[in-house]
Amino acid sequence: MNLTLRQLRAFVAVADCASFTEAAKQLHLTQAAMSVLVRELESELGVRLLDRNTRRVELSEAGRDLYPFAQRMLSELEEAVHSVGELRDKKKGLLRVAAPQMMACTLMPQVIAAYREHHPHIEVRLLDTVPEQMLERVLAGQSELAVGPDVAAPPEVERRPLLRDRHHFICKPDHPLARRKQVRWRELAGLPFIAPTHDFMRRLEPELAAAGLAAPPMLLPVHQVSYMTTALGLVAAGLGVTACPSYAAPLVQGHGLVMRPLAEPVFYREVCIFNAAARSLSPAAQSFVDFITAFVIKKTATKKAGKP
């Protein structure tokens, strides 16, 4: 069968109005066009659906059987179209975002809280994970987006740069270097250094080598940990010093520690947004990407202006 929505709408409208003339007005069609649509539907089904007389139009027995199904189908279609429209207009949706622990407890809560003010009916679920599993979450479909430090991504993953964040020296307030406005990497030589992630030294060594600080090894970590919170806990206990990006400031302050910019060389770590290249972004995901990008730009501009 080749039924059309126009035929079903015409049939339901005539049944509701008990008149071709009134139904035609309701659907903004001519009476002749309404009659054609109903006749086409009856011809397709092979039965008479409407009994016509001089005073009114009534449903036939077959029409009474078809009417509730046609009405329900049109109603459900209208609801579906409305729902898709809300998704398109970013009025509702569910978005899962993966992020490593440090990003998940510093920048991401701020972004999600601000985003919810603008899109209260879009639910954002934050999946905290280790950096090594961040892209796996995206490829497995467990999260639509991931936000975290730049890592080598396979062709199946699309990467969008979000921000470049400078690394800072972290120590206790009574440490001799805490009084400096900035700290040079060479001044860390001989200090008990705590590498905040297992790949930190691998990423740092080319930067130090370019500044002539590679050989002999300038930094020999006394600890290499998996999480920044662990590194900060060790520093707070007086077991060493560490380094981290500036977006970790809330954690650093929470541990009662001091952070100073690191120089010579200035070491940046890029943060990116990742998603599966083969899947188009949902309206909620696209709006979140746009929002977090604008949020970071505004935050960076405020910081440069020296505002709190």
Side-chain angles (χ1 to χ4, degrees):
M1 288 188 179
N2 188 26
L3 308 183
T4 70
L5 289 173
R6 295 184 76 235
Q7 292 168 354
L8 291 172
R9 286 196 181 100
F11 164 68
V12 169
V14 173
D16 288 341
C17 297
S19 165
F20 276 87
T21 302
E22 292 302 319
K25 291 178 181 178
Q26 188 180 91
L27 297 185
H28 306 288
L29 297 172
T30 65
Q31 185 172 339
M34 289 290 292
S35 297
V36 169
L37 289 171
V38 172
R39 282 200 302 270
E40 288 175 347
L41 180 60
E42 290 177 327
S43 175
E44 192 68 36
L45 293 173
V47 295
R48 179 176 288 276
L49 299 173
L50 298 166
D51 291 327
R52 305 156 178 85
N53 56 49
T54 56
R55 290 192 299 177
R56 61 183 288 113
V57 179
E58 296 179 347
L59 289 169
S60 68
E61 183 177 357
R64 286 193 294 272
D65 283 344
L66 177 63
Y67 177 79
F69 293 102
Q71 188 181 48
R72 183 167 63 249
M73 188 187 76
L74 292 173
S75 177
E76 290 177 352
L77 177 62
E78 185 177 346
E79 289 179 11
V81 170
H82 178 71
S83 179
V84 170
E86 287 194 325
L87 287 174
R88 178 201 62 214
D89 298 335
K90 307 174 189 68
K91 293 181 179 178
K92 73 171 190 177
L94 170 63
L95 175 63
R96 294 180 176 87
V97 183
Q101 186 205 35
M102 184 168 65
M103 182 68 64
C105 65
T106 53
L107 178 64
M108 293 306 295
Q110 300 175 38
V111 173
I112 292 172
Y115 179 81
R116 188 163 59 181
E117 290 183 7
H118 291 79
H119 303 281
H121 299 297
I122 295 180
E123 181 183 356
V124 180
R125 294 184 184 173
L126 181 60
L127 309 178
D128 55 347
T129 184
V130 294
E132 295 79 10
Q133 295 178 0
M134 182 175 60
L135 300 189
E136 293 177 15
R137 293 269 187 135
V138 171
L139 290 173
Q142 297 171 353
S143 66
E144 189 171 358
L145 300 173
V147 180
D150 191 15
V151 294
E156 296 83 6
V157 174
E158 185 176 350
R159 165 189 171 277
R160 293 176 172 83
L162 178 63
L163 62 92
R164 292 177 74 237
D165 204 0
R166 182 176 178 177
H167 267 64
H168 286 60
F169 171 72
I170 311 298
C171 64
K172 294 186 69 175
D174 58 358
H175 193 281
L177 295 178
R179 295 188 294 271
R180 301 285 187 85
K181 289 186 177 180
Q182 67 176 19
V183 176
R184 293 174 295 178
W185 281 100
R186 63 173 53 91
E187 293 177 290
L188 273 60
L191 297 180
F193 186 75
I194 300 166
T197 61
H198 285 295
D199 67 340
F200 183 83
M201 296 307 300
R202 176 183 59 79
R203 291 184 289 103
L204 177 62
E205 283 167 2
E207 302 283 342
L208 297 180
L213 301 174
M218 189 195 72
L219 292 178
L220 292 174
V222 294
H223 295 282
Q224 293 195 57
V225 298
S226 298
Y227 300 106
M228 175 56 66
T229 49
T230 305
L232 295 178
L234 293 171
V235 174
L239 298 176
V241 298
T242 190
C244 71
S246 61
Y247 61 76
L251 284 179
V252 175
Q253 294 164 3
H255 282 79
L257 301 174
V258 171
M259 62 190 311
R260 296 289 180 262
L262 277 162
E264 300 181 20
V266 174
F267 177 34
Y268 291 96
R269 186 159 198 194
E270 193 161 38
V271 174
C272 299
I273 304 171
F274 303 92
N275 64 277
R279 295 192 290 269
S280 59
L281 292 181
S282 68
Q286 184 61 62
S287 72
F288 189 83
V289 169
D290 295 340
F291 187 88
I292 191 174
T293 302
F295 183 93
V296 166
I297 291 173
K298 182 178 179 180
K299 192 177 181 70
T300 302
T302 300
K303 188 175 181 181
K304 287 182 178 179
K307 297 179 182 179

